[in-house]
Amino acid sequence: MSDPFKQAAGIRKVLTADENAEGRLDAWMTGQLGEEFSRSRVKALIKEGQVSVGGKILADPQKKVRPGDTFEILLPEPEDPTPKGENIPLDILYEDDDLIVISKPAGLVVHPAAGNWTGTLVNALIYHCGDSLSGIGGVRRPGIVHRLDKDTTGVMVVAKNDISHRHLSLQFADHGRTMPLERAYQAIVWGRPRTLTGTIDAPLGRAVGDRTRRAVKRSETQDADEAITHYEVLERFHENPDATSLASLVECHLETGRTHQIRVHMAHIGHPLLGDTVYGAGFKTKANLLPDAARKTVNAFGRQALHAYMLQFEHPRTGEVMHFEVPLPEDMEELADALRAERE
């Protein structure tokens, strides 16, 4: 039997608010629809006029929901869960029959997910590697053993067969404690940490009321995961007589690999990354302390200043320890150069 809600333009769903319903329409509706649709996607659908009540179109995501309200929402047809190959250029550092190492550019999402079903690294890898990635690590994440945020650049390794996937996954799960895996990042942060080298040992979990943000948690909190970052200040920009600096280039080595770990940890000690609108938005006005040219460069920098410059791991077949490094990308190098400019 055909789905009575299915129409040529999409799928029409009817949602009725129960006696406990409250809050904004976009938030409530996101909870009703489940993980397939993000709040931002639901908000966009409301603004596009895809939601109605009693035949009247609603376009205000902030409308308050009342018990008994019945809403209709026209959802787009579900996407095919199997990613397709796309001819997206890859910066390949190394490749053999077992794995491929690439330098990921800013703006490239690693694997398909809500809001980014195409144009991802996975789509590029499927096109480049063909059927060899099929089924390794799941339908939507074939070959993926670790990932970088969309706007983080740097070295990544991808498995090309099951043996490599299992072996590399074990190394990343071990975090280099007993295996040779090592990951290092370079970041440009506001200010200068009090000590030039240090360790941030602060458990992380989901931020309250936001399923995408992470926050430092008490160790006894139910969702708190161990998170340890070692850092070293490499360069200080606009250093003052009291040893403070306007900004710093730091190197971070991960002992654990939590989502947004470096971004949250550096913000936690008072030194968020430049360009980080999620964890460092309150520091944006510090750019006003810079010379005009540097201020313009900082304000135009459209991502968090984070680069995964080094990755080391054991080859799953040969046992060889493989080491890869890539220099700062052009946009971060320009940012660093701008910060090196003297005050007027």
Side-chain angles (χ1 to χ4, degrees):
M1 181 180 294
S2 62
D3 185 346
F5 295 115
K6 188 168 289 189
Q7 298 182 354
I11 302 174
R12 189 172 298 277
K13 295 289 185 181
V14 178
L15 304 172
T16 300
D18 63 22
E19 59 184 12
N20 298 315
E22 60 180 1
R24 289 171 47 132
L25 176 60
D26 55 353
W28 175 83
M29 192 163 279
T30 301
Q32 298 298 304
L33 293 173
E35 295 184 355
E36 184 178 354
F37 291 89
S38 66
R39 182 168 176 174
S40 60
R41 183 69 179 110
V42 171
K43 185 176 181 178
L45 288 171
I46 295 171
K47 288 185 173 182
E48 291 167 6
Q50 304 301 326
V51 176
S52 62
V53 58
K56 181 181 179 181
I57 292 177
L58 299 177
D60 182 9
Q62 300 185 49
K63 173 182 167 55
K64 299 299 182 182
V65 175
R66 298 175 300 178
D69 284 344
T70 298
F71 302 95
E72 289 189 4
I73 180 170
L74 185 64
L75 302 171
E77 290 282 2
E79 299 281 351
D80 184 348
T82 305
K84 303 295 189 297
E86 297 177 39
N87 188 9
I88 300 170
L90 291 173
D91 184 357
I92 299 173
L93 305 177
Y94 175 84
E95 182 177 11
D96 61 22
D97 291 339
D98 297 298
L99 55 85
I100 181 171
V101 181
I102 64 107
S103 178
K104 189 187 88 65
L108 182 63
V109 175
V110 170
H111 57 76
N116 293 285
W117 294 117
T118 60
T120 71
L121 174 60
V122 163
N123 297 110
L125 289 167
I126 291 173
Y127 181 90
H128 177 79
C129 301
D131 294 335
S132 66
L133 288 181
S134 180
I136 303 170
V139 174
R140 289 186 178 172
R141 304 185 185 188
I144 302 299
V145 292
H146 70 122
R147 69 181 184 88
L148 298 175
D149 292 340
K150 174 183 177 181
D151 289 325
T152 298
T153 56
V155 190
M156 286 189 63
V157 60
V158 176
K160 294 175 70 174
N161 54 53
D162 287 321
I163 292 174
S164 294
H165 192 273
R166 287 195 297 270
H167 196 288
L168 289 169
S169 294
L170 285 174
Q171 292 185 62
F172 278 92
D174 180 71
H175 299 301
R177 291 186 171 97
T178 63
M179 298 179 178
L181 179 88
E182 187 175 354
R183 288 176 289 172
Y185 295 70
Q186 289 180 344
I188 299 177
V189 304
W190 288 113
R192 196 212 85 172
R194 184 173 55 85
T195 57
L196 296 182
T197 62
T199 296
I200 307 168
D201 185 349
L204 300 180
R206 290 183 184 273
V208 177
D210 192 325
R211 60 183 180 178
T212 60
R213 284 172 56 100
R214 295 298 183 270
V216 169
K217 301 273 189 170
R218 294 181 179 274
S219 58
E220 63 270 17
T221 306
Q222 185 175 5
D223 71 334
D225 294 317
E226 180 186 34
I228 301 173
T229 302
H230 306 283
Y231 72 85
E232 177 183 0
V233 176
L234 301 180
E235 185 176 359
R236 288 159 279 181
F237 305 112
H238 293 278
E239 191 169 19
N240 300 307
D242 62 358
T244 61
S245 301
L246 186 59
S248 303
L249 174 66
V250 300
E251 181 173 311
C252 296
H253 287 251
L254 297 181
E255 192 172 318
T256 56
R258 308 303 177 193
T259 300
H260 299 175
Q261 180 172 318
I262 292 173
R263 297 166 63 188
V264 179
H265 270 176
M266 295 310 297
H268 176 63
I269 64 171
H271 303 287
L273 276 60
L274 271 70
D276 194 336
T277 58
V278 177
Y279 302 105
F283 282 67
K284 188 174 181 180
T285 55
K286 283 187 173 293
N288 294 331
L289 301 174
L290 291 165
D292 286 345
R295 182 175 66 252
K296 290 177 181 177
T297 301
V298 170
N299 288 335
F301 194 76
R303 65 181 183 94
Q304 68 267 4
L306 183 61
H307 174 63
Y309 89 92
M310 188 272 282
L311 177 64
Q312 175 179 289
F313 58 88
E314 180 181 281
H315 193 286
R317 190 177 300 274
T318 68
E320 177 187 358
V321 175
M322 309 192 73
H323 185 97
F324 298 90
E325 293 188 17
V326 289
L328 284 176
E330 184 177 352
D331 63 343
M332 277 187 68
E333 195 60 68
E334 290 177 353
L335 180 63
D337 285 342
L339 290 167
R340 292 182 184 112
E342 294 295 327
R343 283 192 174 97
E344 296 174 336

